[in-house]
Amino acid sequence: MKSLYTLLACSLFVSSHAASVISRSEPEPLRRSSPSTLPPVTELAIVNKVIAPDGFARSATLAGGIFPGPLIKAQKNDQFSIRVINRLRDKSMPLSTSVHWHGIRQKKTNWADGVAFITQCPIPSNGSFLHQFSAPGQTGTYWYHSHFSTQYCDGLRGPIVIYDPEDPHRDLYDVDDESTVITLSDWYHDPSSKLNQIVGAVSNNSTLINGLGRYPGGPMTPLAVINVEQGKRYRFRVIGLSCDPSYNFTIDGHSMTIIEADGVETVPVTVDLLPVLAGQRYSVIVHADKPVANYWVRALSNLPNQTFVGGLNQAILRYNGAPDEDPTSSGGPSVLPFNEAKLAPLQRMPVPGVPEIGKADVNINLVSGNVNSFFTMNNVSYQNPPMPVLLQMLSGARHPSDLLPNGSVYELPSNKVIEITIPDTGAAPGGPHPMHLHGHNFAVVRVAGNSTANFVNPIWRDTVNMGTAGDNVTIRFVTDNPGPWFFHCHVDFHLLKGFAVVMAEARNEISQVAASIPPAWGDLCSPNDPYTQAHAGSFNTTTPA
């Protein structure tokens, strides 16, 4: 295929991160408690803007100029056509970008997954790229974020909801719209380029709920308000937009009934505390059946020295008719704790393969570690390759073991049952680690905190808690989606330091992906890069059969 030659003329296009800052205008006031919305066919401009979501003004990298980014609303089986436009100017932060659609499985459209160095070259400043994909059969709660360096820590993150007109849980709630989307995120006063230089743990300055929060010693800025009407039942879609910490999410005086985890409808389970790790999503039903008043909504992170004093880590659940003031409610002890082992799919989702640990077609044990502040998986620290892994697979020239980066790519044959175990030996600091697989959801046949395998009705999801020392979380899926798929810790600073591998799936069927790759995919890459000039000729220009 001659057209592939253009695709092969590719290497990294990394913009300068030299320090310079856009002019400091007054930040725009932030008052909204629910996001702006976009349809699935749209443009998404990535811009720099000075904002102060917790009262501290800083330049940020934003989708649509707001934080969180606009809610992308779709209906089941809609086609997505999203042009990402890079208008970044602030050189104190990355100028290139890419946008990943977290949880969307990208069947046969691996090229649209939005992962720099895995499925595409980054989008350069002043450039754009049209992501065209479908999500057949998928419904529920998802999100999008930058997948270039740690850029989403600078603000490029937002929600996606795919609504199901025949939702099997529809009788359980009265309200489900943009006002019931709840985003949990960390916020930093320094740009990611500075945070990336920190050796060891990185601490955020504040927790934002629906884009608003306060920081210790800062002003008493407005908090997000979630308005409810007494007597109604609300489907709250809780999204972990976090760059690093996990959160214990609670609403004073109210229990929550889980009906969805990572896009999978669940058998209803009632809790009063919901742990939400980076990348995870839950839908919970909350019945506004308490006296008219204000109630604290709390998101306590796993970082040390956390407090609720002065409205930190909180938002407000406000019943219609309650005064416009901070709540005086108290949390109380948890009596309905969360247990992931109790989550089960509402519809039957059989676990593939022989129902015994270690009896899949391919069994991979990934042991995490840390050497000189760099994370490793099976003793290898992931580094970005000199050209995207998808491009390498399309070339058909390399032996599977030669796919770059060396030691971080695992070749998976097509139509096989894959089992991955991710034991926590205590050697990888900074847990709990949320492990996310692109291109699939998976059966969690052994969850954190439980040594017993469940091959009968385990939860399926795409981001799983690796647990604590002694746990051996185990997942299964079938290789029915050709392409390179990232498997990584969703703590972005851990990913930056190498906590990742690539699953190079079904290379013999990669032509299914090549068939839909647009010419603009190759145009993202710099044709004059020295690496390309030195190496492009060594790659085959045909797609393997």
Side-chain angles (χ1 to χ4, degrees), residues 118-194:
I118 304 297
T119 65
Q120 68 172 78
C121 289
I123 305 170
S125 184
N126 299 315
S128 69
F129 185 63
L130 180 63
H131 295 259
Q132 292 181 302
F133 55 90
S134 60
Q138 288 192 251
T139 59
T141 311
Y142 305 90
W143 65 301
Y144 60 90
H145 59 86
S146 170
H147 226 303
F148 180 79
S149 184
T150 55
Q151 187 178 58
Y152 93 75
C153 305
D154 290 316
L156 204 177
R157 30 186 163 163
I160 302 173
V161 175
I162 304 178
Y163 293 93
D164 185 355
E166 298 178 346
D167 179 9
H169 286 308
R170 186 63 187 86
D171 290 342
L172 298 181
Y173 57 86
D174 305 303
V175 184
D176 175 29
D177 57 24
E178 56 267 26
S179 73
T180 62
V181 173
I182 300 177
T183 60
L184 311 180
S185 58
D186 44 355
W187 192 249
Y188 301 84
H189 294 170
D190 290 323
S192 62
S193 52
K194 184 175 180 179

Side-chain angles (χ1 to χ4, degrees), residues 174-410:
D174 305 303
V175 184
D176 175 29
D177 57 24
E178 56 267 26
S179 73
T180 62
V181 173
I182 300 177
T183 60
L184 311 180
S185 58
D186 44 355
W187 192 249
Y188 301 84
H189 294 170
D190 290 323
S192 62
S193 52
K194 184 175 180 179
L195 300 176
N196 292 349
Q197 306 306 312
I198 296 173
V199 176
V202 180
S203 295
N204 62 288
N205 295 98
S206 59
T207 295
L208 307 184
I209 301 178
N210 284 354
L212 296 174
R214 296 171 184 166
Y215 67 94
M220 297 291 283
T221 53
L223 298 174
V225 175
I226 301 163
N227 293 294
V228 296
E229 181 179 336
Q230 190 181 43
K232 288 191 174 181
R233 302 162 302 168
Y234 292 81
R235 178 176 181 162
F236 290 132
R237 297 175 182 266
V238 183
I239 308 177
L241 298 189
S242 174
C243 185
D244 183 342
S246 57
Y247 296 100
N248 282 334
F249 178 80
T250 59
I251 304 175
D252 286 2
H254 296 74
S255 60
M256 301 172 280
T257 300
I258 301 169
I259 61 166
E260 177 218 347
D262 293 1
V264 174
E265 291 92 0
T266 70
V267 175
V269 177
T270 300
V271 299
D272 56 17
L273 182 149
L274 186 68
V276 184
L277 278 65
Q280 293 186 326
R281 297 90 61 207
Y282 292 96
S283 282
V284 295
I285 304 300
V286 173
H287 192 187
D289 59 355
K290 300 298 183 286
V292 171
N294 294 298
Y295 299 86
W296 284 121
V297 176
R298 305 174 189 265
L300 192 67
S301 87
N302 64 316
L303 299 178
N305 304 316
Q306 297 299 297
T307 179
F308 295 120
V309 174
L312 300 181
N313 303 301
Q314 292 174 116
I316 300 169
L317 183 76
R318 175 164 295 152
Y319 279 62
N320 291 351
D324 184 4
E325 61 187 24
D326 281 358
T328 58
S329 62
S330 58
S334 174
V335 295
L336 296 169
F338 173 86
N339 181 352
E340 190 168 22
K342 292 184 178 180
L343 291 182
L346 182 66
Q347 308 294 338
R348 186 171 181 268
M349 299 178 68
V351 178
V354 177
E356 184 179 341
I357 296 292
K359 298 294 186 179
D361 296 324
V362 178
N363 302 279
I364 301 173
N365 188 45
L366 294 175
V367 180
S368 56
N370 191 280
V371 179
N372 298 324
S373 296
F374 284 87
F375 287 90
T376 61
M377 299 194 82
N378 287 353
N379 301 311
V380 178
S381 184
Y382 170 84
Q383 296 182 5
N384 289 326
M387 47 174 73
V389 180
L390 175 57
L391 181 61
Q392 299 175 52
M393 293 179 69
L394 287 167
S395 77
R398 292 184 180 273
H399 184 275
S401 64
D402 290 334
L403 284 171
L404 301 176
N406 285 329
S408 292
V409 182
Y410 291 76

